Amino acid sequence: MANLQFLGAIGEVTGSAYLIRTDRSTLLLECGLHQGRGADQANEAPFEFSVAEIDAVVLSHAHLDHSGLLPKLVKEGYRGPIYMTRATHDLIEIMLHDAAFIQMKDTEWENKHRRRADKAPLEPLYTDKDVETTLQLRQTLDYQQRTPITPDIQLQYHDAGHILGSAIVELTLEDTDPPRRLVFSGDLGSTHHPLLQDPEFLQQADTVLLESTYGDRNHRSYSDTVEEFHQALQAANHAGGNVLIPAFAVGRTQEILFWLGKFYRQGRLPQQQIFLDSPMAISASELYFRYLHLFNDDDAQTFVETVKHRWEEWLPGLRCTRTVEESMQINPIQGGAIIIAGSGMCTGGRISHHLKNNLWKNNTHLIIVGFQAAGTPGRALVDGTERLKLFGHEVQVKAHIHTLGGFSAHADQQQLLEWASHFKPRPKLYLVHGEQDKREILQEQFRQQYDWNARLPAYKEKIEL
Ligand SMILES: [Zn+2]
C-alpha cells in the first residue's frame, strides 16, 4: 500500500517536504529550506530518508522554503529528475545561486571567528557547484501536461496563482486499479492579483494536502489594500521620510512595482525615487517579461501593452541598484525615496542596512507586504517591538509600520475553504504549511462550515494513500 510521510512544514510554514512511497517508487514532493527560529539546525540535520531510494523529486514552485534544500540533496548524491514548471525552471536558477552565495558567505564569516578561537572550520550547507549540478537535473512540464514520472506515478500541474510558475501538484498513483489521486495545493494564491491567474479549482481527489498559512484570517479586499498602500505612501511623503518595503524577490516585488507604476500613470505617486535594491529581485523582475502571457488578462493589459523589456518603461522613477556601491549611494538619502529590498522577512540582505539607517526615525514608513514567520525580525516589527537588533547593535523602532495583508501571495481563510469545497466527493483532507494555531482555527472552520473533519498531521507521521 502506498503511503505519505510528512517531513516538513508541519505546524510551521517553512521546510516543506513530503515523502511518497508506492510499491515501485519513492518520490520526494518539495525539498524546502527551513527559515526563522531553529532553522540552521534543521537545515543541517540529516534527511529522514536514504537519498539513494528517491526516484524523482517534484516541486510546486521556486520559493526557497519549498526548494532550498535541493542542492543539499544533490550534494548527498541525488542524480534523478527534478520536475517543475517552465517559469520555476528559470526562477530557481536565480534563487538557488543566491541561497548558495548566502550559505558560503555566512560560513566564511563564522569560520573567521572559529579560526581565532582555534576551532575547526565549518563547511557550508552547499556551494555554487552543488547548485550547478542541481540545475542540470531540472525537467519541465507545462500546466495540464500529464506525464508519467515513475513506473506507477503520473504528475500533472495546475496554476496555483501564488508566484510566477507556481503550481498545484496532482499525482495519480497507479499502483492499484483503479488508481488514486493525491492533490497538494502547494502555496495557494489569493485572487485578483494583476500579474497572476487566480488559483485553479480541482474537483477530484482521494487525498488533499492543503496549505494553511492564513488559516486564521481573511485579508482586506484587494482594492482596499491598494488604497491603503497609496495612503501609506502619502503619509510618508507628508512626514518627509523614506518608505522601506521588505519584499521577497519573486512575487511581491513585481506586484509592488506594478502598483507604483499604476499610481505614477494615474498622476498620484508622491515619491519620485524608487530603488529596487536587490540583485536577485532585479534578475527575477527581468524574467517576468518572458512570461507576460501568464498574467491575468484584465488587470495587466495596459502593462503588457506598455512594457516590453524594462520595468523603467512602466515606472520611470525606478532605479535598479545591482552593485554594493550603487546600494550604498542610497544611504545618505534622508527622505522622499521608496526602497524595496530583501529579505522579505528582514532576516538579512540589504533591507537590514536600510532598517539600520531609517528605523529609528519617526518620519520613516515601513510597509510590510508579505507573511512574516514566527521568530523573524519582520514578525517582531509587525508585533510592535520597540527595539531591534541589527548587526549586533540595538536600534530603536520609531518608524510607522503598516501591515498590508491584502497583498499576500497566499489565499486567506475563506479562499482556502472555498478552494477545498470544490472537491466532490470529499477527499481525506490534511492541513499543512501553517503555524499550529492557524491550522487549528482552519480545522475548526472546516468543521463548522462543512462538517468536514480536516486532519492535522504530526511531523514524521505516515498516512496510507
Ligand atoms: Zn511560496
Side-chain angles (χ1 to χ4, degrees):
M1 190 70 187
N3 66 60
L4 179 147
Q5 191 176 17
F6 298 93
L7 293 178
I10 294 302
E12 55 163 335
V13 296
T14 70
S16 283
Y18 311 96
L19 190 70
I20 295 157
R21 287 192 181 97
T22 66
D23 290 339
R24 298 171 66 193
S25 46
T26 303
L27 185 146
L28 181 63
L29 174 58
E30 315 281 64
C31 192
L33 194 72
H34 298 269
Q35 294 161 324
R37 202 176 289 146
D40 288 350
Q41 220 178 347
N43 288 327
E44 278 154 23
F47 287 117
E48 293 289 339
F49 47 82
S50 139
V51 172
E53 71 174 309
I54 307 289
D55 298 302
V57 176
V58 170
L59 215 56
S60 69
H61 66 290
H63 274 154
L64 288 176
D65 59 322
H66 295 255
S67 67
L69 280 189
L70 282 172
K72 180 183 163 185
L73 190 77
V74 169
K75 186 183 180 182
E76 295 188 11
Y78 181 71
R79 292 295 181 272
I82 305 169
Y83 291 93
M84 61 195 75
T85 65
R86 277 174 205 280
T88 301
H89 168 279
D90 294 352
L91 283 173
I92 206 174
E93 183 163 345
I94 301 169
M95 306 191 73
L96 291 181
H97 274 305
D98 187 74
F101 175 74
I102 292 170
Q103 305 285 351
M104 294 190 305
K105 219 175 62 180
D106 284 356
T107 312
E108 197 184 299
W109 175 258
E110 180 73 26
N111 282 344
K112 216 154 94 182
H113 291 276
R114 292 178 73 89
R115 259 199 307 278
R116 287 179 198 152
D118 196 26
K119 287 183 184 163
L122 299 174
E123 239 190 79
L125 193 58
Y126 49 79
T127 64
D128 243 7
K129 223 179 108 222
D130 303 311
V131 170
E132 280 304 331
T133 316
T134 306
L135 297 174
Q136 309 280 321
L137 305 175
R138 289 173 293 178
Q139 299 279 337
T140 60
L141 286 188
D142 286 326
Y143 292 122
Q144 312 306 341
Q145 183 191 347
R146 195 161 148 172
T147 305
I149 56 167
T150 76
D152 57 1
I153 301 178
Q154 297 212 31
L155 166 64
Q156 187 173 347
Y157 282 129
H158 305 269
D159 200 331
H162 165 66
I163 60 166
L164 193 67
S166 66
I168 297 161
V169 176
E170 179 179 340
L171 296 172
T172 308
L173 310 174
E174 296 179 314
D175 54 336
T176 56
D177 191 20
R180 281 117 45 246
R181 228 173 270 186
L182 165 70
V183 171
F184 168 51
S185 70
D187 284 2
L188 218 49
S190 188
T191 49
H192 308 305
H193 285 241
L195 305 182
L196 292 166
Q197 301 291 337
D198 289 351
E200 201 179 312
F201 293 121
L202 274 65
Q203 278 85 34
Q204 284 191 333
D206 298 284
T207 305
V208 171
L209 311 186
L210 175 64
E211 70 122 315
S212 50
T213 315
Y214 281 102
D216 62 331
R217 74 187 82 163
N218 291 316
H219 302 317
R220 275 186 85 168
S221 81
Y222 194 75
S223 53
D224 285 355
T225 302
V226 171
E227 283 320 303
E228 206 181 341
F229 180 42
H230 185 255
Q231 282 162 16
L233 297 179
Q234 268 182 322
N237 189 47
H238 276 291
N242 289 324
V243 177
L244 305 187
I245 308 180
F248 284 113
V250 182
R252 273 354 60 215
T253 292
Q254 293 75 27
E255 194 166 356
I256 293 304
L257 293 180
F258 175 84
W259 284 111
L260 292 175
K262 188 119 176 167
F263 295 153
Y264 169 79
R265 266 143 218 289
Q266 292 166 341
R268 57 183 194 132
L269 179 64
Q271 286 81 1
Q272 287 168 12
Q273 295 190 91
I274 300 106
F275 295 96
L276 180 54
D277 189 28
S278 155
M280 180 161 66
I282 294 167
S283 301
S285 301
E286 285 168 357
L287 215 142
Y288 266 63
F289 298 113
R290 282 189 219 163
Y291 295 96
L292 293 174
H293 61 282
L294 294 181
F295 294 178
N296 194 336
D297 295 344
D298 310 337
D299 301 315
Q301 202 172 3
T302 0
F303 178 82
V304 174
E305 283 163 8
T306 315
V307 188
K308 296 294 170 233
H309 308 287
R310 300 169 71 232
W311 282 87
E312 290 88 331
E313 296 166 64
W314 178 249
L315 178 60
L318 179 66
R319 273 199 56 203
C320 294
T321 48
R322 214 180 257 278
T323 66
V324 174
E325 291 70 30
E326 287 173 313
S327 171
M328 283 168 70
Q329 283 167 14
I330 303 172
N331 293 347
I333 299 174
Q334 296 297 320
I338 300 174
I339 306 164
I340 306 164
S343 75
M345 298 187 198
C346 309
T347 49
R350 291 186 183 172
I351 195 71
S352 311
H353 294 276
H354 300 303
L355 290 171
K356 185 187 76 182
N357 291 332
N358 292 281
L359 212 49
W360 56 277
K361 298 175 189 161
N362 61 10
N363 62 1
T364 298
H365 285 248
L366 174 70
I367 308 183
I368 301 281
V369 292
F371 185 79
Q372 304 297 317
T376 60
R379 177 68 158 264
L381 289 168
V382 167
D383 290 344
T385 184
E386 288 177 3
R387 294 178 164 271
L388 195 68
K389 205 162 184 182
L390 291 159
F391 304 104
H393 296 282
E394 281 203 335
V395 176
Q396 55 172 337
V397 182
K398 285 275 173 73
H400 279 263
I401 297 173
H402 308 261
T403 307
L404 305 186
F407 275 134
S408 170
H410 288 270
D412 65 12
Q413 185 187 74
Q414 206 45 49
Q415 290 166 340
L416 290 169
L417 289 161
E418 206 211 321
W419 185 81
S421 75
H422 282 74
F423 289 98
K424 302 262 162 47
R426 274 181 200 163
K428 279 186 227 152
L429 179 61
Y430 296 89
L431 304 184
V432 297
H433 198 285
E435 289 167 5
Q436 187 59 20
D437 55 332
K438 298 185 168 119
R439 60 180 192 153
E440 280 170 9
I441 292 167
L442 185 62
Q443 180 188 43
E444 183 56 32
Q445 286 303 313
F446 271 109
R447 206 173 284 140
Q448 282 179 16
Q449 294 192 30
Y450 298 110
D451 194 23
W452 191 352
N453 179 25
R455 294 159 218 212
L456 308 184
Y459 176 58
K460 290 199 210 180
E461 185 178 329
K462 266 187 202 169
I463 56 164
E464 279 193 2
L465 293 172

